[in-house]
Amino acid sequence: MARPGPRDGALRPARRRTVELVLVLTALGAFALCLAMAGLQIDGRVPERFPLYVGVVSAAALGLHVTLRLVAPWADPLPLPLATLLNGVGLTVIWGLHHVRGTDTNEADRQLAWTVIGTVLCCAVLLVVRRPQRLQRYPYLAAAGGLVLILLPMLPVIGIEVFGARRWIGIGDFTVQPSEFASILLIVFLAAYLGLKREVLGTAARQLRLGRVKIFSLPRMRDLGPMTAAWGVAILLLVGTRDLGTSLVLFSVFLAMLYTATGRKSWVGIGLAMFSVGATAAYLMFWHVRQRVAIWLDPFGPDVYTEHGGSYQLVQGLFALADGGLFGTGFGQGRASEIFASDSDLILISIGEKLGLTGLVAVILSLLLLAERGFRIALGSRDVFTKLMLTGFAFLLAFQVFVVLGGVTRLIPLTGLTTPFLAAGGSSLIANWIGLGLWLRVSDSARRPAVLPLPTPAEHATVTMRLSGAHTRAAENGRNGEVSSNTRATPQG
């Protein structure tokens, strides 16, 4: 049995879930309005699949909300509405792009199916992982599983190479991107490992100073093993899968978690230097890396701007963003539907064209707010493992958004990464919902008030006997003291 803590109350979790319900209904209303407007702008009528899409997404989101009420009532009320809104906007844009092309809507139907599967797995995580701290018991099993998933595309039979990168495996008519699921396992491993080794890794061997000013802290050489191993894995991924984006994201997440665990900027500087060496080697070794850098530097050059490749995709995306203006062209106009991968890699381009700068900023702010909630949950976690794990998940989401948005706006080279909860593709969407389940479970554990165990009958009897004995001895001592004082006060002779 357990006794509620002093600040526990029946209204707080209920009020939290009520706020979540209102926000989820608002997100579903925004999704329904957006889908109806897309149909009106394209065909002049509400889409025929409107009841199906709205009904299924609503059932999935409300079912997850009910699960939270039952098993995680203290969870943060914002992540679920934000994820529902982003998922709905992505589904609407995917449907609109394929409908304008005149092709079937199978891609949107598949995205709807992935949404259902993702939310079901999110519920499963909430039901199975009751104590997220127990995940740190299996760090090397998580590491082995993550590495196996990443190396699967390198196999000659099931691995699929697209545009120079091997990130997919083929299973029948379906393709899976294992790195999306591997990132979850690797973050769990890093959180467990760094939680145990943070004090050792935070010890500096010597400090470089300029007079009395500290410039740089060098770690001990024997502690460089984890950094070297992570760098080697990143290079192995880059060589084996030829995927600069995945290597960049995973290594950056490792650096962020390492800095969170140790607080030493020297590790970040050494890590960036090592990754720069690896990226330079990749530029010299692989033609597709050199091509992406050339596209980034001069996309309008006659040597790289070709209609069937080169910088055509990037340039058309920039034109689509310009066409969107402040309020967008709507779903019935624009060029985004003709751009390759406009529903996956360039989903932010499509949102910017259809909904304008206003809609794009709203979507980006929703993504950043979701990442901010992840960092806030990490700050409120009660143990080091969950703090590091949530930091890794939140940084992964924020860094993915930065890499994708930077690539489509020519801030950095294109990497081919997907935008969380928005881009078409089952692997990314399902992995994001699974990660959200861990977010919500950790949030519930962090916000749930501490409980005090009720004493057993035997313990209660023992405490009562001790208290009664103490009171008896105190009474006897008081009487003895009174008699002795009276004796001392009696006059002699």
Side-chain angles (χ1 to χ4, degrees):
M1 297 179 64
R3 179 170 56 217
R7 294 182 60 84
D8 191 12
L11 294 179
R12 287 192 63 191
R15 185 181 298 118
R16 192 180 299 272
R17 301 275 68 83
T18 301
V19 171
E20 180 185 76
L21 177 60
V22 173
L23 294 177
V24 167
L25 293 176
T26 303
L28 292 173
F31 163 57
L33 178 62
C34 188
L35 184 60
M37 289 180 58
L40 291 173
Q41 291 172 353
I42 297 174
D43 298 326
R45 57 186 176 87
V46 176
E48 295 180 355
R49 296 180 181 267
F50 179 85
L52 173 65
Y53 286 7
V54 175
V56 170
V57 174
S58 300
L62 294 177
L64 186 52
H65 166 74
V66 172
T67 304
L68 286 172
R69 279 187 177 271
L70 297 177
V71 303
W74 289 91
D76 191 337
L78 286 182
L80 176 58
L82 289 171
T84 302
L85 175 64
L86 293 169
N87 200 158
V89 171
L91 181 61
T92 300
V93 174
I94 293 169
W95 177 86
L97 291 172
H98 286 272
H99 195 66
V100 168
R101 292 173 185 170
T103 58
D104 52 30
T105 57
N106 288 340
E107 189 64 37
D109 293 345
R110 283 194 292 267
Q111 190 76 355
L112 183 66
W114 301 137
T115 301
V116 174
I117 295 174
T119 52
V120 169
L121 291 178
C122 183
C123 291
V125 170
L126 290 170
L127 294 173
V128 174
V129 185
R130 292 301 183 97
R131 295 183 179 179
Q133 295 82 1
R134 293 181 176 178
L135 294 176
Q136 64 183 329
R137 298 179 181 179
Y138 315 101
Y140 298 106
L141 182 62
L147 291 179
V148 168
L149 288 175
I150 289 178
L151 297 177
L152 279 179
M154 297 175 59
L155 299 179
V157 178
I158 60 176
I160 300 175
E161 181 174 339
V162 179
F163 298 106
R166 296 180 67 91
R167 292 185 293 173
W168 299 269
I169 59 173
I171 303 176
D173 296 332
F174 296 95
T175 59
V176 180
Q177 190 171 345
S179 61
E180 297 287 349
F181 304 99
S183 60
I184 298 176
L185 296 176
L186 292 178
I187 288 175
V188 171
F189 161 71
L190 290 173
Y193 179 84
L194 294 175
L196 294 175
K197 302 293 184 179
R198 67 185 188 281
E199 294 182 0
V200 176
L201 295 173
T203 303
R206 59 174 180 169
Q207 296 179 350
L208 300 180
R209 294 179 175 272
L210 182 60
R212 295 185 177 182
V213 180
K214 183 178 72 173
I215 303 299
F216 202 70
S217 297
L218 293 177
R220 296 179 299 184
M221 293 303 298
R222 64 175 178 268
D223 297 331
L224 282 174
M227 176 69 72
T228 306
W231 180 76
V233 170
I235 297 302
L236 178 63
L237 295 177
L238 187 58
V239 173
T241 64
R242 301 179 183 180
D243 183 9
L244 181 62
T246 301
S247 303
L248 172 64
V249 168
L250 291 179
F251 195 73
S252 299
V253 170
F254 171 72
L255 289 182
M257 296 177 66
L258 183 60
Y259 177 74
T260 303
T262 63
R264 292 201 171 273
K265 297 183 287 295
S266 56
W267 284 110
V268 179
I270 295 172
L272 292 177
M274 296 175 72
F275 189 83
S276 299
V277 173
T280 303
Y283 176 82
L284 298 175
M285 292 173 57
F286 303 122
W287 67 269
H288 77 283
V289 176
R290 293 193 297 272
Q291 183 186 34
R292 289 187 179 183
V293 174
I295 291 172
W296 170 55
L297 294 176
D298 187 16
F300 298 96
D303 297 334
V304 295
Y305 182 77
T306 58
E307 186 173 353
H308 301 288
S311 63
Y312 181 82
Q313 180 190 27
L314 176 61
V315 171
Q316 291 300 313
L318 294 175
F319 289 159
L321 277 180
D323 293 340
L326 187 60
F327 299 106
T329 62
F331 287 88
Q333 302 178 9
R335 68 183 78 203
S337 59
E338 305 299 328
I339 303 176
F340 174 74
S342 59
D343 59 347
S344 55
D345 297 353
L346 302 185
I347 189 71
L348 292 181
I349 290 289
S350 301
I351 293 174
E353 182 192 64
K354 305 305 179 185
L355 304 180
L357 180 62
T358 304
L360 181 60
V361 169
V363 169
I364 294 175
L365 287 179
S366 299
L367 288 166
L368 295 182
L369 180 58
L370 183 58
E372 186 270 340
R373 301 310 297 182
F375 286 119
R376 184 178 292 272
I377 296 170
L379 289 174
S381 299
R382 296 171 180 172
D383 62 283
V384 176
F385 169 73
T386 55
K387 188 182 296 291
L388 290 175
M389 184 175 67
L390 261 295
T391 300
F393 283 134
F395 182 84
L396 175 64
L397 187 145
F399 193 71
Q400 276 188 285
V401 174
F402 166 76
V403 171
V404 173
L405 187 61
V408 299
T409 56
R410 276 194 64 207
L411 181 64
I412 59 175
L414 278 173
T415 58
L417 293 178
T418 56
T419 309
F421 292 103
L422 290 169
S427 301
S428 174
L429 186 59
I430 293 175
N432 289 325
W433 277 110
I434 293 175
L436 188 72
L438 289 174
W439 285 32
L440 294 170
R441 171 52 68 192
V442 173
S443 173
D444 177 74
S445 300
R447 295 167 180 264
R448 186 183 295 270
V451 293
L452 303 175
L454 288 176
T456 62
E459 293 174 342
H460 181 74
T462 302
V463 172
T464 303
M465 293 176 61
R466 289 178 179 177
L467 289 176
S468 61
H471 285 301
T472 302
R473 287 192 299 271
E476 292 178 354
N477 292 334
R479 289 195 298 271
N480 293 336
E482 183 178 353
V483 170
S484 61
S485 61
N486 292 336
T487 303
R488 285 193 301 268
T490 304
Q492 300 295 332

